[in-house]
Amino acid sequence: MTTGSLLAVDLVIAVLAAVGWLGAGAASAARRRPLALGLAALALLATLARAGTVTALARAGWWFAAEKVLIAAPLSFAGVVVAGPRLLRAVGDVRAVAVPLLFAGYAAGAGLLVTVLHGYPASAGVGLLALAGVVAATAVSWRILGARPSPTVSRAAVAVAVAALVTGTGLTVTPEPAPAVPHDHQYREAGTAGEPTRRFTLTAGTATVTVAGRDVAAWAFNGQVPGPELTATVGDVLEVTLRNRDIGRGVTLHWHGYDVPNSQDGVPGVTQAAVLPGQEFVYRFRADQVGTYWYHTHSASDVGVRKGLYGVLVVRPAPVTGVDVTVPVHTLSGLPLPAARTEPVQAGTPVRLRLINTDSTTHRYALAGTPFRVAAIDGYDLRGPTPLVDTTVLIPAGGRYDLVFTAPATPVALFVDGRQVYATGPVSAATGGWPVLDPLGYGAAAPVPWSRFDKTFTLVLDRGLDLRGLLPRYAHTVNGAADPDIPPQVVRFGDVVRFTIVNRSQVVHPWHLHGHHVLVLARDGRPAAGSPLWLDSFDVRPGEVWQVAFRADNPGMWANHCHNLAHADAGMTLHLMYA
Ligand code: C2O
Ligand code: CU
């Protein structure tokens, strides 16, 4: 079983245990003896089964099990010890064991809440809060069920609950020192890139665009979705003037995957101020890396990108031979882009398909009718890519794959999630059952250029209750905190930095670091075995642990976030900061 499914199974069993004990408590309070016994047996089984799942999770990585071992297990154990023997001794009237059974239920429920609302890391404060909840709920049940707890016991219970509550709240809520992310700091003048050789103007505004014959309200660059395709030849200096006509939430341009100087990175509040209606901002940078990239607004990025503020950036070597096609995939108001197109290609012509995923979730791409190679991922050429046939590739949110092939005499077609988007002639193919390429085993290996790391960071991705803002929210968290409370990762210029990224949650997190490409070292403890993979966007699936590394060679303050932009908005954003 994968760690991801183990996490899901453990959650289901935990719910069963809590519901079982609580139900048994309620049934015994109502003197429904057989029901109470049945539910208690179910709860006991579930509790025992959890011993197995939690042990397995701990073996997959302490991150997956910490709070289960440290908080949920002791609580559940106490519940079983208190309720079990009393239940066995209860002959005749089962009502007498209602409170112990409820206690076991509260204990199991509290452990579950710690996992669902807080997660990793487990802290003493959270453990004490859980204990306070269990004691208080038990005391209240005891009074209600009229069993008249002895004054000593009830006073002791109140004292324990209050002490745990006070200590726990203190430990949990003590404000940590504000993270040193200087927002709105310096806007360094661009101008170091040299004389511009390619100039573009992008004007952001609300627009109505037609998709699949339907009029859709969009936010667009120059009235079109996607925005104009920006192309350059390696060595060009790009100058892009961004204007905002009427996007009230502001606009910026972020060059996704293009490792530009920090001042050109387009992150509002970090590298520049958002461009408001009537304003403009000029970006300038040298196009010194070839490859497939894209640009998008980083202001209110979730809604902005979704509504259409994105476009393609391609930097080509000179001269270009053959057919070179960009396929930026997007979902606009539920409608898929781009529209399907068919263009005959003469047999023998080299073809490059640049696949770009501009959505917030993974897409599945299948090329039918020809063997092909994956020549590049995220703009970086792969080493020794071998031919693939009838194989699909999964591209994470924000990611790009370049597929190359020599046009055969027969037609070829590209499918995205089963929908044909590009073809050289009529093709019908059922691609649903094709195997999926694992890029970590594709192409020719090369040694990792570093053997030691100057800085190592661990990012544990999860969900949790975030109480710091004005309104409590169920945030997407990193190490138990949500933006803007996640401490920045501080590095020095020249450091070799290693990230361990752990997904404890039930959903995929496409990870994206600005300003750098990271080299994949390992996934789930297995070293990457194929071509070196220099990525800027990679899917960390539930239960996965990725190790990636990079050299800190691009000074500044860089966003480091989940590229499911709704998650990024809901807390899953932090910063890499050069000291
Ligand atoms: Cu394409 Cu910070 O994002
Ligand atoms: Cu995410």
Side-chain angles (χ1 to χ4, degrees), residues 254 256 267 294 296 298 512 514 559 561 563 565:
H254 168 59
H256 183 112
V267 179
W294 62 298
H296 62 80
H298 219 288
H512 174 54
H514 286 211
H561 64 93
H563 217 281
L565 296 174

Side-chain angles (χ1 to χ4, degrees), residues 313-329:
L313 168 68
V314 178
V315 179
R316 296 191 170 90
V320 177
T321 50
V323 170
D324 190 316
V325 180
T326 55
V327 187
V329 166

Side-chain angles (χ1 to χ4, degrees), residues 126-517:
V126 169
L128 287 168
L129 287 184
L131 180 66
V134 173
V135 175
T138 309
V140 169
S141 310
W142 207 336
R143 286 219 87 85
I144 291 175
L145 291 173
R148 299 206 186 292
S150 75
T152 342
V153 171
S154 42
R155 262 185 233 121
V158 170
V160 170
V162 168
L165 185 66
V166 169
T167 333
T169 310
L171 288 174
T172 315
V173 178
T174 311
E176 287 150 27
V181 179
H183 283 100
D184 290 318
H185 61 148
Q186 6 114 269
Y187 309 131
R188 270 178 290 149
E189 256 319 298
T192 46
E195 257 318 286
T197 52
R198 297 281 285 163
R199 287 195 170 84
F200 303 92
T201 299
L202 297 179
T203 304
T206 53
T208 302
V209 298
T210 310
V211 183
R214 277 174 48 188
D215 281 351
V216 174
W219 294 358
F221 287 119
N222 299 4
Q224 61 182 85
V225 176
E229 186 164 315
L230 308 188
T231 58
T233 302
V234 66
D236 273 340
V237 174
L238 273 78
E239 183 184 271
V240 184
T241 303
L242 169 68
R243 298 210 171 98
N244 182 355
R245 205 182 56 224
D246 61 353
I247 304 296
R249 301 192 60 181
V251 191
T252 62
L253 291 176
H254 168 59
W255 312 99
H256 183 112
Y258 219 73
D259 299 329
V260 298
N262 194 237
S263 60
Q264 309 302 300
D265 196 43
V267 179
V270 178
T271 67
Q272 66 169 103
V275 177
L276 298 175
Q279 298 182 335
E280 70 169 45
F281 189 95
V282 180
Y283 297 87
R284 210 175 285 134
F285 58 91
R286 182 178 292 278
D288 43 20
Q289 38 189 95
V290 294
T292 309
Y293 302 89
W294 62 298
Y295 63 86
H296 62 80
T297 184
H298 219 288
S299 184
S301 62
D302 178 29
V303 43
V305 176
R306 199 157 19 90
K307 281 178 164 276
L309 290 175
Y310 71 95
V312 172
L313 168 68
V314 178
V315 179
R316 296 191 170 90
V320 177
T321 50
V323 170
D324 190 316
V325 180
T326 55
V327 187
V329 166
H330 194 76
T331 309
L332 190 66
S333 286
L335 302 169
L337 284 171
R341 66 188 209 224
T342 303
E343 293 158 348
V345 174
Q346 210 184 346
T349 310
V351 180
R352 178 177 289 250
L353 299 180
R354 301 175 183 270
L355 314 182
I356 307 167
N357 182 358
T358 70
D359 274 327
S360 273
T361 51
T362 315
H363 284 299
R364 180 186 177 97
Y365 299 72
L367 181 60
T370 179
F372 65 96
R373 294 167 207 262
V374 180
I377 298 181
D378 287 359
Y380 278 54
D381 285 349
L382 299 191
R383 187 168 183 268
T386 49
L388 298 166
V389 189
D390 292 358
T391 303
T392 55
V393 298
L394 296 180
I395 305 188
R400 289 89 57 215
Y401 275 46
D402 288 15
L403 309 188
V404 299
F405 58 93
T406 303
T410 49
V412 164
L414 174 72
F415 297 83
V416 179
D417 304 322
R419 181 182 77 94
Q420 188 175 307
V421 292
Y422 168 86
T424 61
V427 172
S428 69
T431 60
W434 288 6
V436 173
L437 175 73
D438 180 3
L440 269 68
Y442 179 66
V448 175
W450 319 292
S451 53
R452 43 166 225 96
F453 302 94
D454 304 298
K455 297 268 165 44
T456 57
F457 298 101
T458 300
L459 286 73
V460 179
L461 315 180
D462 202 357
R463 294 209 78 165
L465 199 59
D466 176 26
L467 298 172
R468 300 230 170 150
L470 285 177
L471 284 177
R473 57 174 181 168
Y474 195 39
H476 289 273
T477 56
V478 180
N479 300 338
D483 183 47
D485 297 317
I486 310 172
Q489 302 160 318
V490 182
V491 298
R492 286 175 190 286
F493 185 82
D495 278 352
V496 179
V497 184
R498 189 178 69 193
F499 283 173
T500 301
I501 305 179
V502 180
N503 187 351
R504 275 186 41 119
S505 78
Q506 308 287 332
V507 293
V508 176
H509 296 297
W511 205 257
H512 174 54
L513 169 64
H514 286 211
H516 308 73
H517 275 68

